[in-house]
Amino acid sequence: QPPASTADAACAAKADRAKSIGASATGSVAAMLAADPPVSLSTLAFSGTDGKPMTLADLSGKTVLLNLWATWCVPCREEMPALNALETERGGKDFEVVAVNVDTGDDTRPRKFLDETGVDALGYYREPTLGLFNDLKRRSLALGLPVTLLIDAEGCLMANMNGPADWSGSDAARLIDAATGG
């Protein structure tokens, strides 16, 4: 893993790419703003689907739509089926929706919520200490929940938004195509 400054410099060199991706954010995903400048988020930490600690760097080589959600966040709950649909439609070796639950406490409520809403395509990622949210808040990327970050295959932030969006429609598909080169 290169030092943060080296990684940030490599990401900052992608400013034109971020602007191009940001320009693709229209309609239901228009709140997604181009990163200015793009920064490395490869050190963001949370628990993986196996419950073990991981960082965004572990998903290197894959474009990631990182979404932070909680069961008590009404807009998050409303957005989850659309994120699930996006993962069903677009998820694979080059792209993944990584929806990280940030409820404090144990897994009971988030798992129950996913079962009740039929969210079955998303991996179960978790960060119960609010450390991930606070890290994003310190970077001025998170104001509240939900927060969604579009991260390229090298771990560089390309675009971000606060608040919910309809991730199941053609506007989201166009944005993901722009980000993945699809």
Side-chain angles (χ1 to χ4, degrees):
Q1 191 73 348
S5 58
T6 306
D8 281 339
C11 290
K14 299 180 180 190
D16 288 344
R17 175 120 176 82
K19 283 185 187 121
S20 169
I21 291 168
S24 299
T26 58
S28 65
V29 295
M32 183 68 84
L33 304 173
D36 185 22
V39 294
S40 177
L41 295 180
S42 57
T43 60
L44 290 182
F46 46 93
S47 294
T49 55
D50 58 2
K52 293 187 169 89
M54 65 176 289
T55 65
L56 206 50
D58 295 322
L59 298 169
S60 181
K62 188 180 273 201
T63 299
V64 170
L65 188 74
L66 181 73
N67 176 275
L68 272 57
W69 68 279
T71 57
W72 47 262
C73 163
V74 173
C76 300
R77 294 176 70 101
E78 292 169 354
E79 182 180 54
M80 288 304 285
L83 288 165
N84 192 68
L86 179 61
E87 176 62 19
T88 299
E89 177 125 342
R90 297 295 173 110
K93 67 178 185 58
D94 297 328
F95 174 76
E96 183 178 353
V97 175
V98 175
V100 181
N101 174 267
V102 295
D103 279 37
T104 55
D106 67 20
D107 287 349
T108 308
R109 288 184 62 203
R111 286 199 180 274
K112 183 176 183 230
F113 166 75
L114 294 173
D115 289 343
E116 287 172 352
T117 55
V119 171
D120 56 1
L122 298 173
Y124 184 66
Y125 294 94
R126 190 107 154 85
E127 204 295 298
T129 69
L130 289 181
L132 176 58
F133 177 78
N134 287 329
D135 187 2
L136 293 176
K137 199 171 173 182
R138 270 191 302 280
R139 297 170 185 244
S140 299
L141 295 173
L143 305 172
L145 292 175
V147 60
T148 307
L149 310 171
L150 186 56
I151 301 153
D152 77 3
E154 287 79 48
C156 298
L157 176 67
M158 291 286 109
N160 61 284
M161 72 184 291
N162 280 272
D166 177 5
W167 295 104
S168 61
S170 59
D171 295 328
R174 205 170 23 262
L175 176 64
I176 300 309
D177 284 346
T180 59

